[in-house]
Amino acid sequence: MNINILFPVYNEEKRLERGIRRTYEFINKYLIPDEKSGRTLDYQLTIVDNGSVDKTEEIAKKLEEEIEQVKYLRITEKGVGAAFRAGVADNEKDIVGYMDVDLSTDLRHLMSVIGIFEENPEVMVVNGSKQAKGAKTIGRKWYRNITSKGLTMVMKARLDMKQADAICGFKFFRKDFVEGLIEQADQTENGWFFIIELLIRAERSGEVVMELPVRYTEEEGGHVNVVAQTMDYLKNIEKLRKTLEK
């Protein structure tokens, strides 16, 4: 098994080193093979920098020099969608996905991701979910929970989405499958909705998408313009609906 974990970042000088080192230490402690499991794991941690103007690049290059499994990739476009496209285009591993560098999704779920792909060759996507049965969310503001659930309801109604959650920043794909999805998707969308479009297209392909309930802890200090983000999602939901109906 080999996997590439993408970390889209923009001005993350305060959280980058801690997030990468913790992930590296976790994988080496819990996912590297031992005599009992017989598992072999070839992994890469790719930092995809969306044109940061703080010390993110300096820190990332230092990590790349110190840790063999870390790769630094810098792009000029901003947005998680742009970062994910660039990371997949650069990827050579069989499994590729992304997670937030603040590690808001519990690292222990990486063990589940590896196990699912190893044991279920029919699974093309593992979709982390904060809303599926068994998931747990800690420290999240009430209005963000309401917004997320509302957007999920809209996507179920307008896009016939089957998943309980499309917004969680913890998604992994088989290499060839996600490359095909990206070719079909809107190349002008650089934001979060690009990943959501990939999930919707994956569902509609008829391939197996497995939802993974996660433990999610929202970090203090994060700032998202909820109104602007919600309006952007609603606009893109309608745009994708019209595209898929053609």
Side-chain angles (χ1 to χ4, degrees):
M1 170 67 70
N2 55 78
I3 186 170
N4 187 357
I5 305 172
L6 310 178
F7 292 88
V9 296
Y10 176 71
N11 289 347
E12 288 285 6
E13 64 179 11
K14 295 181 179 179
R15 302 188 290 190
L16 178 58
E17 183 162 6
R18 174 179 174 271
I20 296 299
R21 290 196 185 278
R22 281 191 60 198
T23 305
Y24 170 73
E25 291 164 3
F26 178 87
I27 291 174
N28 284 337
K29 183 174 181 179
Y30 295 106
L31 294 176
I32 294 300
D34 57 35
E35 294 180 359
K36 291 183 179 179
S37 70
R39 172 186 288 132
T40 58
L41 182 67
D42 172 21
Y43 72 95
Q44 180 174 307
L45 309 179
T46 303
I47 302 166
V48 189
D49 182 0
N50 296 200
S52 297
V53 294
D54 63 357
K55 294 182 179 179
T56 293
E57 181 173 6
E58 177 184 334
I59 295 167
K61 287 182 174 179
K62 173 188 169 187
L63 291 165
E64 185 179 41
E65 289 176 2
E66 292 183 10
I67 303 174
E68 180 184 356
Q69 291 85 357
V70 172
K71 181 172 183 178
Y72 175 61
L73 184 64
R74 185 177 175 90
I75 63 174
T76 56
E77 299 88 355
K78 291 183 176 63
V80 173
F84 188 77
R85 277 199 304 273
V88 171
D90 184 73
N91 171 62
E92 297 180 352
K93 306 299 185 186
D94 293 337
I95 306 299
V96 60
Y98 84 103
M99 56 189 291
D100 298 326
V101 78
D102 64 3
L103 307 185
S104 48
T105 303
D106 197 316
L107 280 168
R108 286 176 289 184
H109 296 303
L110 286 175
M111 293 189 281
S112 299
V113 169
I114 297 296
I116 289 169
F117 281 119
E118 282 186 334
E119 298 165 15
N120 303 275
E122 73 281 7
V123 172
M124 293 292 115
V125 184
V126 175
N127 176 44
S129 174
K130 293 178 283 190
Q131 298 187 45
K133 184 177 181 181
K136 185 172 184 180
T137 302
I138 302 166
R140 200 155 205 241
K141 302 292 191 297
W142 63 269
Y143 54 85
R144 294 202 66 184
N145 275 326
I146 291 174
T147 302
S148 293
K149 289 178 180 178
L151 286 169
T152 297
M153 290 176 62
V154 173
M155 285 187 276
K156 285 180 175 294
R158 304 299 286 170
L159 298 174
D160 196 29
M161 186 179 78
K162 308 303 181 188
Q163 301 291 294
D165 182 12
I167 301 172
C168 181
F170 191 83
K171 292 178 172 57
F172 292 84
F173 304 78
R174 294 199 187 271
K175 178 181 182 294
D176 293 343
F177 183 64
V178 75
E179 288 173 349
L181 294 177
I182 289 174
E183 286 181 4
Q184 301 169 33
D186 181 2
Q187 304 299 310
T188 67
E189 172 56 43
N190 289 341
W192 287 98
F193 197 81
F194 183 79
I195 314 294
I196 294 174
E197 179 176 351
L198 298 184
L199 183 65
I200 299 298
R201 289 185 179 277
E203 284 190 338
R204 291 188 173 221
S205 74
E207 298 289 351
V208 179
V209 179
M210 184 172 289
E211 192 157 42
L212 176 66
V214 299
R215 178 185 175 92
Y216 178 92
T217 304
E218 185 150 306
E219 188 175 274
E220 290 291 332
H223 176 72
V224 174
N225 187 325
V226 176
V227 174
Q229 186 182 66
T230 300
M231 295 306 294
D232 182 67
Y233 277 173
L234 291 173
K235 177 192 72 176
N236 279 297
I237 287 168
E238 288 307 303
K239 182 180 177 181
L240 179 58
R241 182 184 66 82
K242 292 176 182 177
T243 298
L244 295 174
E245 286 180 352
K246 290 180 181 178

